[in-house]
Amino acid sequence: MSSSSSSPTHADVVTKLLVLRPWTVGEATAVLGDIRCPHWADDFPAEGDRVIAGLFDQHPAWLAAYGHRLIIERDTGLVVGSIGLFWPPSEGVLEIGYGIVASRRGRGYAPEATQALAEFAFTAPDVHTVSANVELSNPSSVRVLEKAGFHRWATEESTAKFRITSPDHDRR
């Protein structure tokens, strides 16, 4: 398949600092088997990455184009986290989740990756909103979503609910 193909089957999402690339089955197997890969940051995988890798068997669509991706630094080629869309959408809404390893936090990676993957999500058929739920005890994650253009629309007990809507959703 050429890189000019119109199919997003395994298209990387490239940003200024990052490449968001779909997980491979081999990488998920390595994470679950505690096997180190040379292209991983020293502190990858984090616990959240292990949880996601363990769920691919139950949710094979998460390995597809609109699923979960590894976050790779463009300048080093190292995997520094993961981000994903919890496919399939529900009534046009996809949930997003993300995590950056501790050694790479504070560099703007999480908001950049979150904004880019949300924009990519809007290319999926019938998806008009990307949502995220964040523990209020995690103010850093709240800031990530705000920087990525998400808006808080509800707060329940210890959780804030954020979302971003496709710019052309109102024009449909």
Side-chain angles (χ1 to χ4, degrees):
M1 178 185 284
S2 72
S3 59
S4 62
S5 169
S6 62
S7 168
T9 303
H10 285 294
D12 293 346
V13 173
V14 180
T15 70
K16 181 179 173 192
L17 300 173
L18 306 168
V19 175
L20 311 179
R21 178 180 56 71
W23 284 72
T24 66
V25 172
E27 287 163 330
T29 301
V31 166
L32 294 173
D34 287 326
I35 299 166
R36 297 274 325 141
C37 290
H39 63 283
W40 292 353
D42 289 342
D43 49 350
F44 182 87
E47 185 54 35
D49 304 311
R50 288 184 185 91
V51 169
I52 292 299
L55 292 171
F56 287 142
D57 280 348
Q58 293 171 280
H59 303 279
W62 291 3
L63 287 170
Y66 293 104
H68 287 260
R69 292 167 177 263
L70 295 172
I71 300 172
I72 301 163
E73 283 179 325
R74 287 183 65 181
D75 63 347
T76 66
L78 294 176
V79 174
V80 298
S82 65
I83 187 166
L85 299 166
F86 294 93
W87 194 265
S90 174
E91 298 178 12
V93 179
L94 269 175
E95 186 176 350
I96 194 168
Y98 48 84
I100 301 290
V101 295
S103 67
R104 298 307 200 279
R105 291 182 189 147
R107 299 180 186 196
Y109 291 173
E112 185 172 307
T114 302
Q115 181 178 20
L117 197 61
E119 289 172 3
F120 179 74
F122 295 141
T123 68
D126 302 321
V127 172
H128 56 74
T129 301
V130 178
S131 68
N133 298 326
V134 181
E135 297 294 321
L136 293 173
S137 60
N138 188 351
S140 297
S141 197
V142 169
R143 283 194 303 278
V144 163
L145 292 168
E146 291 169 347
K147 287 178 183 176
F150 284 65
H151 304 281
R152 186 186 305 209
W153 63 276
T155 304
E156 298 175 357
E157 294 180 26
S158 62
T159 305
K161 295 180 176 290
F162 284 81
R163 67 183 172 198
I164 188 170
T165 303
S166 171
D168 58 305
H169 178 60
D170 294 334
R171 288 182 250 143
R172 292 184 187 163

